Amino acid sequence: MKKAVLTFALLLITTIGLSQEAFKKDVVNYLEVSGQSNTFKMITKDLVNNIPEAKKAEFQKELDASINDLMSKMADMYMSEFTHDEIKTLLKFYESPVGKKLTDKTEVLYTKGQTVGQEWGMGLQTMMMKYMQ
């Protein structure tokens, strides 16, 4: 009887572990197809320009490893907030034509968003100054 219970427990743990592995793989895939991992690469690309030429390749390798670690931690975060089925639904969206378009426009939207945000920030400063006097 003990062997049967132990076997069942081991099978259950293995199944849960494989299920979590598939879940995390789908979340990492979501982070890729949604453009989130590319956003971090885009944000950090200027950092490479500050590194001496002789050290750029080594820095880029370490930076890429850092981004991969960040993506793993973000995947864990998403797994705590979404179910596997919800992630699968998000993947379907990002694999659709409009989802792909959204991903393709990430850099353009980011750049334009920075301009809009700066303009808003300047207006906010003006508004604050009016009330601080």
Side-chain angles (χ1 to χ4, degrees):
M1 182 70 174
K2 282 184 180 181
K3 283 185 181 181
V5 170
L6 184 58
T7 302
F8 177 74
L10 187 58
L11 183 63
L12 182 64
I13 290 169
T14 302
T15 302
I16 291 170
L18 292 174
S19 174
Q20 286 296 101
E21 224 174 273
F23 185 12
K24 187 160 187 172
K25 183 180 176 186
D26 282 344
V27 173
V28 170
N29 186 27
Y30 159 74
L31 293 171
E32 287 290 325
V33 299
S34 68
Q36 292 188 46
S37 62
N38 285 338
T39 300
F40 289 105
K41 290 174 185 172
M42 180 182 61
I43 291 170
T44 59
K45 73 180 177 184
D46 289 336
L47 295 176
V48 178
N49 296 331
N50 296 320
I51 304 299
E53 196 64 41
K55 296 180 181 181
K56 278 187 181 183
E58 186 178 334
F59 175 77
Q60 186 67 57
K61 184 178 176 181
E62 196 169 335
L63 179 61
D64 290 344
S66 172
I67 290 172
N68 288 340
D69 184 51
L70 175 63
M71 290 298 103
S72 178
K73 289 176 182 174
M74 287 187 66
D76 292 338
M77 178 187 71
Y78 274 78
M79 290 171 71
S80 71
E81 299 295 329
F82 294 91
T83 66
H84 196 173
D85 285 339
E86 290 169 331
I87 292 296
K88 287 177 182 179
T89 301
L90 286 168
L91 280 169
K92 284 180 187 173
F93 168 74
Y94 279 100
E95 290 167 350
S96 73
V98 71
K100 288 177 182 178
K101 181 176 181 178
L102 178 60
T103 301
D104 290 343
K105 297 290 182 179
T106 298
E107 190 167 353
V108 171
L109 293 170
Y110 176 79
T111 303
K112 288 181 177 182
Q114 281 185 312
T115 302
V116 170
Q118 287 172 350
E119 290 170 0
W120 175 77
M122 288 188 291
L124 188 58
Q125 284 180 328
T126 302
M127 182 183 3
M128 285 176 60
M129 293 303 291
K130 180 172 88 175
Y131 288 96
M132 291 176 69
Q133 296 176 355

